[in-house]
Amino acid sequence: MRIVLLGAPGSGKGTQAQRLQAEHGFTQLSTGDLLRSAVAQRTALGLEAKAAMDAGALVSNQIVLGMIGERLAEPDTAAGYVLDGFPRNLEQARALEAMLAELGQALDAVVLMRVDFEILMKRLTGRRTCSKTGKVLNVYFSSKAELDECIAAGGELLQRDDDNEETIGRRLKVYDSETAPLVDHYRDAGLLRVVEARGSVEEVYARFLAALGINVQ
Ligand code: AMP
């Protein structure tokens, strides 16, 4: 399956995509992760993207489209993938359609993760990534055992640079003005499925699989 995950920052796209990759073999393609890795490696592209990311703005379509075009051409996408954080505006959505047409592929579903503003804020301010395992955790919602597991493995709980209140506010505004219009775009295309993204990771994952029509054994 080829899936797009839509939803505000903090709606749980990355967590659910990671899980779907681990359990069902769909490759997670996260433009945020690709950009953070370019920033960490100090590539020219990363340096250019960093200012926009720190400001909570979108990185230019030119950079993001180049990156995702290369990634979609890699062999691990053949068994299906979940696009996480892409597309984020109409121009990117149209460019994706053109890229897929060129590859002779089509999207199977676009899943909107719907969640209230108060929950988004807690998910974003509390979010931490384990430096050892890459697992996304949350100081408000993860169990003590999960948090301790990272430390016991020799990892640190890292907070993303853009997960501070000021930048979070800007990212949520950008979502409303630039990304939310994609909901109507994909509803009109007959691809949209909506998942209520409140509750535990387990609960959301069960709704997510149901929305995709994937049976749980
Ligand atoms: P994310 O990890 O998806 O929350 O993305 C983190 C940041 O990376 C965003 O706030 C943007 O600055 C940038 N970014 C990620 N994906 C895109 C995209 N598709 N288009 C433009 N900017 C993006």
Side-chain angles (χ1 to χ4, degrees), residues 59-195:
V59 171
S60 75
N61 286 338
Q62 196 201 351
I63 290 185
V64 172
L65 290 172
M67 231 173 46
I68 204 82
E70 279 178 24
R71 192 64 190 81
L72 282 176
E74 286 176 32
D76 64 341
T77 59
Y81 49 81
V82 194
L83 287 165
D84 156 17
F86 175 87
R88 253 180 158 95
N89 58 29
L90 271 172
E91 191 179 329
Q92 291 182 8
R94 295 201 175 106
L96 173 64
E97 276 143 38
M99 280 184 234
L100 291 177
E102 189 114 321
L103 293 165
Q105 299 179 350
L107 292 176
D108 295 288
V110 175
V111 180
L112 170 66
M113 309 287 279
R114 189 161 56 194
V115 65
D116 290 342
F117 182 78
E118 296 75 49
I119 300 179
L120 289 179
M121 275 320 252
K122 264 192 137 168
R123 287 213 184 138
L124 290 163
T125 53
R127 175 161 64 186
R128 302 290 184 276
T129 306
C130 178
S131 61
K132 198 86 185 179
T133 61
K135 196 168 173 189
V136 181
L137 300 163
N138 190 292
V139 294
Y140 300 118
F141 301 121
S142 299
S143 67
K144 187 168 179 318
E146 278 180 304
L147 296 167
D148 287 350
E149 193 180 56
C150 170
I151 309 296
E156 269 181 278
L157 294 170
L158 301 178
Q159 187 168 29
R160 274 170 46 169
D161 287 347
D162 57 354
D163 276 346
N164 62 75
E165 276 193 38
E166 195 186 342
T167 312
I168 288 169
R170 282 199 227 114
R171 287 161 60 208
L172 292 173
K173 278 203 187 112
V174 168
Y175 175 78
D176 276 341
S177 60
E178 306 212 27
T179 312
L182 294 182
V183 174
D184 282 343
H185 177 77
Y186 286 122
R187 187 182 288 116
D188 291 348
L191 288 169
L192 192 74
R193 305 183 194 181
V194 180
V195 167

Side-chain angles (χ1 to χ4, degrees), residues 35 39 42 44-56 59 63 161:
L35 287 164
V39 170
R42 305 183 143 271
L45 185 151
L47 293 176
E48 204 180 322
K50 189 176 181 336
M53 293 172 79
D54 286 348
V59 171
I63 290 185
D161 287 347

Side-chain angles (χ1 to χ4, degrees), residues 16-35:
Q16 298 299 330
Q18 268 184 3
R19 182 99 187 239
L20 197 66
Q21 169 167 282
E23 294 183 16
H24 290 276
F26 301 120
T27 300
Q28 176 194 15
L29 300 179
S30 156
T31 41
D33 285 349
L34 291 172
L35 287 164

